[in-house]
Each structure stands twice: as C-alpha cells, then as structure tokens.
C-alpha cells in the first residue's frame, strides 16, 4: 500500500475534521493508502511534521485553513523529495482552496485527494520563509485576515472594503524602495501585496482575472499615500470596482521583487504574521509543489 500522512488542525473550522475523520481515513484506505494521522497540538507543528514525515510519503494531506497549509508547505519545501499534497480546507476563508477550485465540502475534498489530478503550482519565497498565495503589508492586512468569513458575508464586499479604507486615512505611510526587473520605484505606500491567487481575503479577482497559479510570476499591487481627500474617493471607487488603476496604484507582474525600508515593516504571509523586516526579498519558485485538484 502507498503511504499517506494526514496532518490536521483540530481547532480549524469549528473542529470540522473531528466529525468526518473516519470517512476521510476510510476513503484513503479504499484507494490503497495506509494512513498516519496527526492532530496538531501547537503552532508550527504542522511544519515540523511535514518535514519529518514527508520525505518517505506518497501523499501528504493537510486539513485546516490557509495558515495550516502554509506550515505544511514550509515543511516540504525543505525536502529533496517533495510528496504530492492533498488539501482538505476547513478554515474560515480558504483563499488558496478557492483559487484551486476545491469544494467547501470536506468529504468531497477527500475524494479529490485520492482520485483527482496533480497540479504543479508556484510557491512564493519571502526571505527565508515560504508562502502559498500572498505576502502583504500595511492597511487592509488586519481587516482582511482578522474579520471572520461570516462577518464578511454579512458586510458584503463594498462594506468590507469601506471598513478597510478607514485605515487609509489614519495609517502612517511607509517609505519604500521597490525593485523588480530593471525597474525601481521609490514612494510612500499605505498598502502592498504580492500575490498568486484569484481570491484574497475571501474576495475574488482583486488583482484581475488573468491570474495563473503556474505561470512563474506574481501579481503585485501597491497603493500610494493619499495626498488629498479626493484621493481617498479614488481608492474606494477603484477597489469597489475591482479595478485598481490610476496614479495612486502601482500594478505589475514579476517573478522577483525587493522591498527596502529604513524602519522595520510588519508583513502578513497567507493570513499569518510573517515577521517585521527592513528588507524583503520575494521570489517565485515555479512549479515547486504538486497538489491534488479536480480531475
């Protein structure tokens, strides 16, 4: 039999996995997998388990939110032999699962893990850490990832954006030098995002509709500091229309981008705190992992 390792966060999604664990294990057994199951007990344990158990596994299955998947990816990126990843999302937002077209039903995802098709996916590197779909700083990061999906559903996209925009008027702008390819930008920014996803914070197409998870490049969006009241109106209308264009925005694609600041800047990676740094080197690792998707 082939070997599958299941790593799940028992607190994710109101402990959903606990209710269907027997079904998931049985699904793997029916498809000739012997299963080793781990329920994480503390932060970063999923990363430790993925690195320890992944090398000799045929399938490494992760169940939890985007943060749990981030830990698993950070674990297997250290391995010479990287097993295929199966993802059974159970978090509140699950941006990456949405980008992959995975269903919200956990039992259906379990079937896809063993009967679907492997998909080669790019992975981002942020200094010495990895992320699956987004690295961000500044305004919106707190409201995007600290607001529950239920609240987002109640607020709706427009009200949600307006909630985030409140930060734009009060947040201290960050002076940055941004270098990508042969281009260099130096400006004051309120927000920045390097992403590889069709969904950010539970909302789709914020970075356009031509996002490809395996094209070897990121979508980068930067919002400049507001200089007058009319600038705020411009940002609001552009974000509501999901068309961030104009002199207040920088938007481009690249496989490598570097951010330099005089003071440390807090970053968020896949919805979790990613560190506070003066220099951030963000690189695309093309086709770095293989993950199961719908056949």
């Amino acid at each position: 039999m082939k070997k599958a390792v299941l790593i799940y966060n028992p607190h994710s999604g109101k402990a959903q996995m606990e209710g269907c664990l027997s079904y998931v294990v049985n699904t793997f057994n029916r498809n000739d997998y012997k299963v080793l199951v781990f329920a994480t007990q503390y932060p970063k344990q999923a990363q430790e388990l993925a690195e320890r158990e992944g090398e000799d596994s045929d399938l490494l299955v992760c169940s939890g939110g985007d943060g749990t998947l981030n830990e698993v990816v950070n674990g297997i990126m250290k391995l010479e032999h990287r097993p295929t990843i199966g993802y059974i999302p159970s978090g509140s937002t699950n941006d990456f699962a949405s980008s992959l077209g995975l269903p919200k039903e956990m039992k259906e995802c379990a079937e896809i893990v063993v009967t679907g098709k492997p998909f080669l996916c790019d992975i981002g590197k942020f200094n010495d850490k990895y992320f699956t779909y987004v690295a961000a700083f500044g305004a919106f990061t707190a409201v995007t990832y600290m607001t529950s999906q239920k609240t987002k559903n109640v607020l709706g996209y427009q009200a949600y954006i307006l909630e985030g925009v409140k930060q734009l008027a009060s947040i201290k702008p960050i002076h940055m030098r941004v270098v990508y390819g042969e281009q260099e930008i130096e400006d004051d920014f309120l927000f920045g995002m390097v992403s590889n996803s069709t969904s950010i914070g539970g909302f789709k197409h914020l970075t356009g509709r031509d996002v490809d998870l395996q094209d070897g490049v990121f979508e980068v969006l930067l919002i400049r500091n507001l200089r007058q009241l009319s600038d705020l109106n411009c940002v609001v209308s552009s974000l509501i229309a999901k068309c961030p264009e104009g002199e207040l925005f920088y938007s481009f694609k690249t496989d490598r981008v570097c951010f330099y600041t005089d003071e440390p800047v807090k970053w968020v990676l896949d919805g979790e705190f990613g560190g506070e740094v003066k220099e951030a080197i963000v690189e695309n690792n093309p086709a770095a992992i293989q993950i199961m998707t719908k056949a």
Side-chain angles (χ1 to χ4, degrees):
M1 297 179 74
K2 296 169 287 186
K3 179 184 176 182
V5 175
L6 171 61
I7 302 170
Y8 75 96
N9 181 347
H11 305 293
S12 178
K14 297 182 180 179
Q16 288 173 283
M17 176 54 77
E18 300 287 358
C20 61
L21 182 58
S22 177
Y23 180 93
V24 171
V25 172
N26 185 48
T27 299
F28 295 159
N29 290 160
R30 283 191 287 104
N31 288 272
D32 298 323
Y33 283 97
K34 60 180 180 181
V35 189
L36 192 58
V37 180
F38 295 95
T40 57
Q41 306 299 312
Y42 51 84
K44 302 299 181 184
Q45 189 183 17
Q47 179 174 332
E48 297 171 7
L49 291 168
E51 184 176 0
R52 189 185 78 195
E53 303 290 340
E55 191 76 55
D56 62 347
S57 300
D58 298 292
L59 185 62
L60 187 62
V61 186
C62 163
S63 182
D66 293 321
T68 305
L69 179 63
N70 174 279
E71 289 189 25
V72 167
V73 168
N74 270 273
I76 71 166
M77 285 298 290
K78 298 178 181 180
L79 303 179
E80 183 176 349
H81 167 69
R82 298 171 189 162
T84 298
I85 293 178
Y87 186 29
I88 304 176
S90 63
S92 60
T93 304
N94 303 317
D95 282 317
F96 197 62
S98 177
S99 294
L100 293 170
L102 295 177
K104 295 182 179 180
E105 172 56 50
M106 296 180 70
K107 292 181 179 180
E108 189 177 347
C109 282
E111 297 287 349
I112 290 173
V113 166
V114 291
T115 64
K117 65 177 180 181
F119 175 83
L120 283 172
C121 183
D122 300 342
I123 290 296
K125 187 176 184 182
F126 177 91
N127 291 345
D128 60 347
K129 301 176 182 178
Y130 295 94
F131 62 95
T132 56
Y133 73 97
V134 67
F137 69 86
F140 295 103
T141 53
V143 69
T144 300
Y145 298 108
M146 294 180 68
T147 306
S148 70
Q149 189 63 43
K150 181 178 180 180
T151 302
K152 293 174 188 177
N153 293 340
V154 172
L155 289 175
Y157 177 71
Q158 293 189 20
Y160 172 74
I161 289 297
L162 291 173
E163 186 67 24
V165 165
K166 291 178 182 177
Q167 298 180 17
L168 291 177
S170 59
I171 193 171
K172 181 182 177 181
I174 302 168
H175 188 78
M176 273 187 170
R177 184 165 61 91
V178 183
V179 180
Y180 64 101
E182 298 181 355
Q183 305 295 317
E184 182 172 325
I185 302 168
E186 187 165 356
D187 212 326
D188 296 328
F189 298 104
L190 297 176
F191 172 76
M193 177 173 70
V194 183
S195 66
N196 187 40
S197 178
T198 62
S199 176
I200 304 292
F203 298 108
K204 292 183 176 294
H205 309 304
L206 290 181
T207 56
R209 296 181 178 273
D210 61 341
V211 176
D212 187 340
L213 275 62
Q214 53 181 196
D215 62 359
V217 295
F218 297 119
E219 284 69 41
V220 182
L221 176 65
L222 305 170
I223 301 179
R224 296 174 60 193
N225 186 31
L226 308 180
R227 292 176 172 81
Q228 52 192 3
L229 184 60
S230 60
D231 288 348
L232 182 60
N233 295 331
C234 177
V235 170
V236 173
S237 59
S238 296
L239 291 176
I240 287 177
K242 298 183 182 179
C243 185
E245 296 178 349
E247 62 179 14
L248 291 172
F249 299 93
Y250 291 100
S251 181
F252 55 89
K253 293 176 181 282
T254 184
D255 63 347
R256 187 177 191 271
V257 57
C258 306
F259 299 85
Y260 303 100
T261 58
D262 293 331
E263 300 295 329
V265 173
K266 294 179 180 179
W267 285 78
V268 169
L269 306 180
D270 295 339
E272 304 292 334
F273 180 63
E276 194 170 0
V277 298
K278 293 182 180 180
E279 179 178 305
I281 311 300
V282 187
E283 300 174 295
N284 188 294
N285 290 254
I289 64 168
Q290 187 166 259
I291 189 165
M292 297 301 291
T293 58
K294 287 184 179 180

